[in-house]
Amino acid sequence: MERNVKTVEPPVDPIVLQIVEGTLASVEAEVEAAIERTSRSPMIREARDFRAGIHDRRCRKLTGRSYSALVQPIVRDFPLETMRPGDVFFHNDVYGSEGGIGHLPDLCVTVPVFAGGVVVAFVQAFGHHDDIGGAVPGSMPSHATSAYQEGLIVPPVRLYRAGVPNDDLVKVLVRNSRLPDSLRGDLDSEVAACRMGAERLGDLFGRYGREQVEACFDAILERTTETFRRELLAKIPDGTYVWEDYAEHDGVDAPRLHAQRMTLTKRDDRLIIDFAGTSPQAKGPINHAGDYADGVFLKKWLAPILRNLADSPERMAELDVNEGVIPLIELRFPPPGTLLTPVFPAPTNARTFVILRLLGILAGVIAKAVGGRMPADQETIRYTGFHGIDGDGQFYLMREVLGGGSGGRYYADGSDTIHVVPDSKNLPVEFTETRFPLVIERLALATDSGGAGTRRGGLGYLKEFRVLRDSAFLCVADRAILSCWGLRGGKAGAPFRVTVDPGGPNERVLPGLVDDEPIPAGTLVRVETTGGGGWGDPIEREPELVALDVLEGKVSARAAREDYGVVLVGSDGERRVDAAATRALRDRLGAGRGRRPFFDRGPGYRTLAGVDHAEVDFVDAPEPG
């Protein structure tokens, strides 16, 4: 009788595997470095709001240093067998991107890699560009009610065909931008960088052969799957956990709670995330089209939160997020017509209100499962800036993505002024003052912005702009009413705030969504970004650390006393803890406490909800080990 013989694949050479893995990481970093050096727009070159990624021919993301868009829409519209060496693809269509593009300013360039005459991989770059048309400068109209108001929509197209540029398409793209030179320069930069990356990968295939390199691809992804399953998912007890959080406004309707609800079920070494209970799609631009390609983009977007379950911060930093996380997560979306399943042409330019909130909701729902061993909340993206006519009579757009404080952790304070986009940064003062009719009068940490806790939340920015010419201010920011929540007794951080003419006769506070707020020449504008939530009861923070916070200007003497129960004596610079008075004050603050929520949302939640806490904020949690 003839036996069924199972074919056994030859083992992957561990040395080649290491070389392939190192080459992928090196190529991704080299592509990003080339874009940074050669691009034109401040958002790309100075702020570094862009990403590169390497994918195999099966559209799987191989690298894990940062997130990227998706190759699926390119392969969907241009089958592999129709691609030719020299082809370059382009798109920014939110609804046609399979969830990989969040809003129209994110322009995406994709270059196929060839070996032996067939496509074997892809190099891709996408970033937030200055302007792609639409109703307002910067292509992020805060009051948009339709995608058609947000800018030029481009489905997947060939930007180059076999090396020949599609000049007609480039003319259309450039003509629709208020900053055509920057747009053209950025496109040239990204195309050249991706081509360079494709050449590097082609050399890798030429050296080791397609079979061996693709076997290494499989091994890299399989190792990620197993590592996340063994080291991270194993920390979550089997069961079902529910939590929700909110966006506070959509730019069109009056501020209210736009809910995003997450039901997390852990079983069979997998996570099932159900978004049932999420609010209907908003009239304004806070929607995110996430329900495409089985939510593959959102899976990779959410997965970095799981790294907080690692045994140490050092181990956490070692864990990459690539396509290997996909088999571990199942997403279940509500029917069309919600914040996560909007129906075209619902606007999406402020979709950060949804996708950033999802990171915090996943952290919160896992925190309920693991006794709080997750960080408190953070809100690290908001767009602020000015536009107008400069002294040479030319239109200018100054816009930056300011970070905020991260949440306190059970083992450490939060970090100050961080950004969720890897390696991104604010615009340097010198660059801003040289390029635009603005003076930066102050750049500092915002005192008391971090949520009080045993481990304090990180601080946000305080940045003051003096406007030299009549201009307009723009802002796309959430958490201007709600705060970043505190965890396990920690307090919420301070919300986002923009004050025009602070302390002057025309002082006013702006809402979080603003398109064209007139700012007369000579006016001061103060921007204060969010602080991270605190972790743990503030009155359990070491008094010496509170005194150090006061000395460094991170916490005021008032907050030290009222929030932390720490009594300081002596003059500025020589303050010391009054130990006896501190013990007595902390005893009074801790006495008579009733049932306390697991999450503290801050006073803004009562403003919108009429109560201090949601029912899902309470949990009987074990002490962290």
Side-chain angles (χ1 to χ4, degrees):
M1 181 182 295
E2 184 177 340
R3 295 182 179 179
N4 292 325
V5 179
K6 183 178 180 180
T7 302
V8 179
E9 297 291 338
V12 174
D13 186 320
I15 303 300
V16 176
L17 175 61
Q18 192 169 13
I19 291 172
V20 169
E21 188 172 28
T23 299
L24 293 174
S26 175
V27 170
E28 182 180 67
E30 189 176 6
V31 169
E32 291 191 358
I35 293 172
E36 182 180 18
R37 290 196 305 266
T38 60
S39 57
R40 293 285 298 276
S41 67
M43 187 65 76
I44 301 293
R45 187 179 67 243
E46 274 76 30
R48 295 196 89 258
D49 193 1
F50 69 93
R51 299 273 67 83
I54 299 172
H55 306 251
D56 68 5
R57 69 192 315 271
R58 295 163 58 186
C59 304
R60 301 181 300 177
K61 175 78 158 47
L62 300 170
T63 45
R65 196 178 67 85
S66 65
Y67 64 90
S68 70
L70 302 177
V71 176
Q72 279 88 338
I74 304 300
V75 175
R76 177 199 66 210
D77 292 357
F78 298 92
L80 297 182
E81 60 272 14
T82 68
M83 297 180 182
R84 298 293 178 265
D87 282 354
V88 178
F89 300 94
F90 173 89
H91 72 291
N92 77 330
D93 185 344
V94 171
Y95 289 89
S97 71
E98 302 293 339
I101 298 296
H103 58 179
L104 295 180
D106 283 347
L107 309 184
C108 186
V109 168
T110 306
V111 174
V113 180
F114 285 82
V118 299
V119 176
V120 292
F122 296 90
V123 179
Q124 188 177 75
F126 88 112
H128 187 143
H129 292 249
D130 275 341
D131 189 274
I132 191 66
V136 301
S139 308
M140 296 183 67
S142 296
H143 299 88
T145 56
S146 169
Y148 294 111
Q149 298 169 309
E150 298 179 306
L152 185 66
I153 303 172
V154 184
V157 293
R158 276 191 174 92
L159 190 63
Y160 286 73
R161 183 185 294 272
V164 178
N166 187 341
D167 289 330
D168 291 338
L169 173 61
V170 173
K171 288 179 181 178
V172 172
L173 293 172
V174 171
R175 182 60 171 169
N176 277 272
S177 176
R178 295 173 178 84
L179 297 161
D181 292 340
S182 289
L183 180 60
R184 180 59 190 261
D186 289 345
L187 282 176
D188 289 344
S189 168
E190 289 158 354
V191 169
C194 288
R195 281 175 163 171
M196 177 268 294
E199 290 180 7
R200 300 283 192 271
L201 289 179
D203 292 342
L204 181 70
F205 278 88
R207 182 177 181 183
Y208 295 105
R210 177 179 168 185
E211 181 178 359
Q212 190 165 202
V213 172
E214 289 188 338
C216 290
F217 290 171
D218 290 339
I220 290 169
L221 302 186
E222 289 167 2
R223 184 179 61 196
T224 295
T225 303
E226 180 55 30
T227 298
F228 269 66
R229 178 184 288 119
R230 182 182 65 253
E231 297 187 25
L232 306 181
L233 267 62
K235 303 282 183 64
I236 304 175
D238 284 359
T240 297
Y241 313 91
V242 182
W243 201 56
E244 67 183 26
D245 205 357
Y246 317 93
E248 62 196 24
H249 56 161
D250 71 347
V252 177
D253 288 332
R256 61 180 175 85
L257 297 178
H258 297 263
Q260 296 176 70
R261 191 174 183 89
M262 183 180 291
T263 300
L264 174 71
T265 300
K266 160 70 186 315
R267 67 168 181 250
D268 300 329
D269 293 330
R270 296 178 71 247
L271 299 179
I272 301 171
I273 299 175
D274 193 327
F275 297 110
T278 294
S279 290
Q281 71 183 47
K283 293 179 183 177
I286 67 172
N287 307 289
H288 175 68
D291 56 327
Y292 293 87
D294 294 323
V296 66
F297 175 83
L298 278 181
K299 291 179 184 181
K300 288 180 284 188
W301 172 261
L302 292 170
I305 292 297
L306 299 172
R307 297 186 300 184
N308 289 286
L309 295 169
D311 288 336
S312 68
E314 293 77 17
R315 180 55 176 158
M316 173 182 173
E318 294 173 348
L319 298 177
D320 284 343
V321 174
N322 53 38
E323 208 78 15
V325 304
I326 298 300
L328 301 174
I329 303 172
E330 177 186 344
L331 300 184
R332 295 178 180 176
F333 292 96
T338 71
L339 291 172
L340 274 175
T341 60
V343 178
F344 180 80
T348 62
N349 73 77
R351 93 292 187 210
T352 51
F353 290 23
V354 168
I355 62 173
L356 285 185
R357 197 67 66 252
L358 288 177
L359 296 175
I361 299 170
L362 180 58
V365 77
I366 293 176
K368 294 179 77 171
V370 298
R373 292 177 67 93
M374 293 292 285
D377 193 30
Q378 64 184 38
E379 172 72 21
T380 58
I381 288 182
R382 75 275 307 146
Y383 302 89
T384 59
F386 301 84
H387 61 85
I389 304 300
D390 63 21
D392 297 325
Q394 299 297 312
F395 171 78
Y396 77 89
L397 171 64
M398 175 273 171
R399 183 176 54 177
E400 63 182 334
V401 187
L402 286 174
S406 70
R409 297 153 286 184
Y410 66 90
Y411 56 87
D413 291 342
S415 299
D416 303 323
T417 59
I418 66 159
H419 199 303
V420 72
V421 179
D423 300 327
S424 294
K425 52 193 176 183
N426 62 41
L427 291 184
V429 170
E430 299 81 2
F431 173 83
T432 300
E433 295 184 340
T434 302
R435 181 86 174 256
F436 307 110
L438 301 165
V439 172
I440 311 301
E441 296 197 352
R442 189 178 179 195
L443 177 60
L445 298 177
T447 301
D448 288 339
S449 57
T454 308
R455 297 295 168 248
R456 177 182 43 76
L459 273 60
Y461 281 103
L462 188 156
K463 194 167 187 177
E464 293 182 341
F465 302 83
R466 182 74 66 179
V467 178
L468 302 183
R469 297 179 62 85
D470 290 349
S471 67
F473 179 78
L474 60 85
C475 180
V476 178
D478 203 10
R479 297 296 200 202
I481 301 173
L482 300 173
S483 298
C484 297
W485 42 264
L487 179 62
R488 203 177 173 81
K491 298 297 184 181
F496 176 78
R497 185 181 180 94
V498 175
T499 308
V500 179
D501 192 29
N506 299 311
E507 178 176 328
R508 63 191 187 279
V509 176
L510 300 182
L513 283 170
V514 175
D515 284 331
D516 293 294
E517 180 71 19
I519 307 294
T523 303
L524 188 72
V525 178
R526 176 184 295 159
V527 177
E528 297 169 272
T529 67
T530 51
W535 194 98
D537 194 332
I539 65 174
E540 295 179 7
R541 184 171 178 82
E542 298 86 338
E544 294 75 17
L545 291 183
V546 177
L548 179 60
D549 286 338
V550 173
L551 177 65
E552 294 179 341
K554 295 185 174 183
V555 173
S556 67
R558 176 199 58 78
R561 185 183 186 93
E562 294 179 3
D563 294 336
Y564 291 94
V566 173
V567 180
L568 301 174
V569 295
S571 59
D572 290 344
E574 298 180 356
R575 292 182 182 273
R576 65 183 186 279
V577 176
D578 185 326
T582 294
R583 283 195 298 271
L585 178 57
R586 286 186 161 184
D587 286 343
R588 290 198 303 271
L589 291 175
R593 286 178 173 174
R595 183 186 181 212
R596 303 180 67 201
F598 203 55
F599 303 89
D600 176 64
R601 298 184 184 271
Y605 182 74
R606 169 168 282 279
T607 300
L608 298 180
V611 294
D612 289 329
H613 306 287
E615 280 300 317
V616 292
D617 293 344
F618 292 88
V619 61
D620 295 324
E623 291 292 332

